Amino acid sequence: MTERTLSGVPNRRLFLAGSAGAAGIAALAACSSNDDTPAATASSATATPAGQFDEVTNAGGKLGWAGMAVIGAGQSNKLMIIDAKYHKIVTTIYNEGAFNERTDPSKYPNVRDSHAIVFTKDFKRMFTASAFTYEVSTIIEYDPITLREVARVDAGTGSHHIALTPDDKFLYVANQYGADLTVIDTATMTVTTTLPVGEGPDYISPSMYWDGLAIDSPYMFVTVDGAKTIAVIDWKKNEIAKQIPIPASAHGVNLTADGKHCWVAGLAFKEVWQIDVASLEIIKKLPIPGSPVHISPSPDNKYVYITTADDLIYKVDTTTYQTLWQAEGTVIPAHTGLTPDGKELWTLNHGMDTERYPYLLGGQPVEGVQIWDTETGALIGEIPHEAMPHEIQFVPYAAFGTPTPQQDISTG
């Protein structure tokens, strides 16, 4: 394990602080039998036969994509593992490490913030990052089959986001309170180098979304908050190809699945930018009401979904740039993820409705996930959870293993 301490940590403001009042969106109404129908008739017409499993009811009224969602569960220092078909948490993984109280409220994410999650393209390895102190961050690898830790290595100061190169050979770590990316060799799990990009690197564009295929792009893109640039990384040469200036802080950055465009959420300048990957030129600056935080392209590249710090969610056509629907989430529906079939948008919220969840978890109001129908913008359901969920990755059931006839599920 390599231990590193970086100096010159920028003093960053705390943004996206959880707000108090929650703007509620009512969930879809559940079906019920007519009150005037005799009980015996209603039972015979609508009840599920004894012993038969009602999948739709179990999923909360609508089935989701048949696979798993893995989420970095923020200040709980856990990973949430969710059955995406039934919209239910099945387990959590706790990142082992020393507990340190938060001492600097100006810094975000907090210490012990399990922010990022990424899988290799064969879905056999998964990585997260957590900071047990302000000085150094820790990258942790887990085996998805056993759910046990495999390795860990120290990175830079304040790891905010991580991304694998398209060949899975290197893991980039954005050191938010430093001025560089830590580059980790995934074969040896050792730090090979650091790549200076300027103060405050936040987000790195992913190299894979859903199906295990690499995004066809020679570049990865990094939003650099302090330096106010978008750093374009030539991942084959491991060098900066270009620095694109931005007028103020940006946050989320994502490549389209076809690798042709990069989308940037201009948090402080209230615009979303579309960059042509071939020329590295900005081809569209789209004003967004509110402060755009994160942005996710659809699997077919036809739409982008944008969330704002003002609790708004937009579906935008990538050809006409028209807003197709607008919804309102509950307390900053910041991070986003689309199911591989493109039918559901998952927003990872900085708070939930306190009337629906009138209690605290770990001394904090309930936070969690809201799930939206991408066709209509209707709220399908929500998954409450402790602390502030962040990055999400959808993976097939097989990533965690599948039962075999030899396994006796009655005895475990």
Side-chain angles (χ1 to χ4, degrees):
M1 184 179 296
T2 304
E3 185 174 1
R4 303 174 58 253
T5 302
L6 299 181
S7 59
V9 179
N11 183 13
R12 299 185 74 246
R13 56 173 168 67
L14 173 66
F15 80 99
L16 299 184
S19 58
I25 294 277
L28 298 179
C31 295
S32 60
S33 60
N34 191 312
D35 292 340
D36 297 330
T37 304
T41 304
S43 175
S44 62
T46 63
T48 300
Q52 183 174 323
F53 181 73
D54 185 344
E55 286 194 313
V56 176
T57 299
N58 186 55
K62 187 171 183 178
L63 290 174
W65 174 74
M68 305 292 275
V70 184
I71 297 174
Q75 296 165 19
S76 68
N77 196 34
K78 299 173 183 176
L79 301 178
M80 283 189 284
I81 301 178
I82 299 172
D83 187 317
K85 181 178 180 179
Y86 299 117
H87 305 139
K88 286 182 168 58
I89 296 175
V90 291
T91 193
T92 59
I93 299 173
Y94 179 77
N95 297 313
E96 295 290 344
F99 177 82
N100 290 299
E101 293 285 355
R102 183 173 190 163
T103 57
D104 189 345
S106 69
K107 290 188 174 180
Y108 173 91
N110 196 358
V111 289
R112 296 170 53 81
D113 189 302
S114 188
H115 200 104
I117 180 71
V118 66
F119 279 72
T120 52
K121 293 165 190 65
D122 59 6
F123 302 111
K124 292 182 178 179
R125 303 173 72 183
M126 66 177 182
F127 303 87
T128 189
S130 192
F132 302 105
T133 70
Y134 285 124
E135 288 72 33
V136 64
S137 298
T138 304
I139 305 304
I140 305 174
E141 178 187 353
Y142 288 99
D143 180 347
I145 300 295
T146 64
L147 303 183
R148 293 175 179 171
E149 182 179 321
V150 175
R152 62 172 58 195
V153 57
D154 287 349
T157 309
S159 59
H160 191 214
H161 188 52
I162 60 177
L164 288 160
T165 53
D167 58 9
D168 286 337
K169 291 183 178 179
F170 296 96
L171 182 73
Y172 287 174
V173 184
N175 299 313
Q176 187 184 27
Y177 302 138
D180 57 19
L181 307 179
T182 299
V183 183
I184 296 172
D185 185 322
T186 58
T188 61
M189 287 300 288
T190 57
V191 175
T192 61
T193 189
T194 57
L195 188 61
V197 292
E199 289 190 354
D202 277 344
Y203 274 86
I204 312 172
S205 59
S207 61
M208 182 269 289
Y209 284 111
W210 308 281
D211 54 8
L213 299 177
I215 297 173
D216 185 15
S217 170
Y219 305 116
M220 299 175 76
F221 295 78
V222 184
T223 51
V224 187
D225 187 43
K228 295 182 176 59
T229 66
I230 301 164
V232 183
I233 310 298
D234 183 326
W235 60 270
K236 290 183 179 179
K237 298 178 181 179
N238 192 31
E239 63 183 27
I240 299 173
K242 186 175 182 179
Q243 289 274 20
I244 302 173
I246 53 179
S249 299
H251 201 62
V253 58
N254 268 328
L255 282 161
T256 52
D258 60 10
K260 293 181 179 180
H261 297 105
C262 173
W263 288 83
V264 180
L267 175 72
F269 52 96
K270 300 182 185 298
E271 290 178 342
V272 162
W273 285 8
Q274 183 186 23
I275 298 172
D276 177 72
V277 171
S279 65
L280 296 180
E281 296 295 329
I282 301 161
I283 58 176
K284 185 65 177 180
K285 295 181 179 181
L286 185 64
I288 295 293
S291 300
V293 186
H294 283 283
I295 185 165
S296 286
S298 63
D300 58 9
N301 311 302
K302 293 181 179 180
Y303 312 106
V304 289
Y305 298 85
I306 303 161
T307 58
T308 78
D310 308 80
D311 304 340
L312 300 177
I313 306 166
Y314 300 98
K315 178 180 181 179
V316 175
D317 188 298
T318 57
T319 302
T320 65
Y321 305 106
Q322 297 299 308
T323 297
L324 302 179
W325 55 251
Q326 173 185 326
E328 187 173 3
T330 304
V331 191
I332 311 177
H335 291 255
T336 55
L338 281 161
T339 52
D341 58 10
K343 294 181 179 180
E344 290 182 354
L345 172 71
W346 290 39
T347 61
L348 313 183
N349 294 19
H350 289 210
M352 302 291 263
D353 192 316
T354 54
E355 291 186 1
R356 291 197 293 277
Y357 308 104
Y359 47 85
L360 301 178
L361 291 175
Q364 297 180 349
V366 174
E367 303 177 59
V369 179
Q370 288 188 309
I371 304 171
W372 308 84
D373 185 308
T374 57
E375 183 65 28
T376 65
L379 181 63
I380 296 172
E382 53 191 23
I383 305 171
H385 193 263
E386 173 193 3
M388 189 185 298
H390 285 104
E391 289 298 307
I392 182 170
Q393 179 137 27
F394 292 95
V395 299
Y397 285 138
F400 292 91
T402 52
T404 65
Q406 290 75 28
Q407 288 179 304
D408 183 352
I409 61 174
S410 66
T411 63

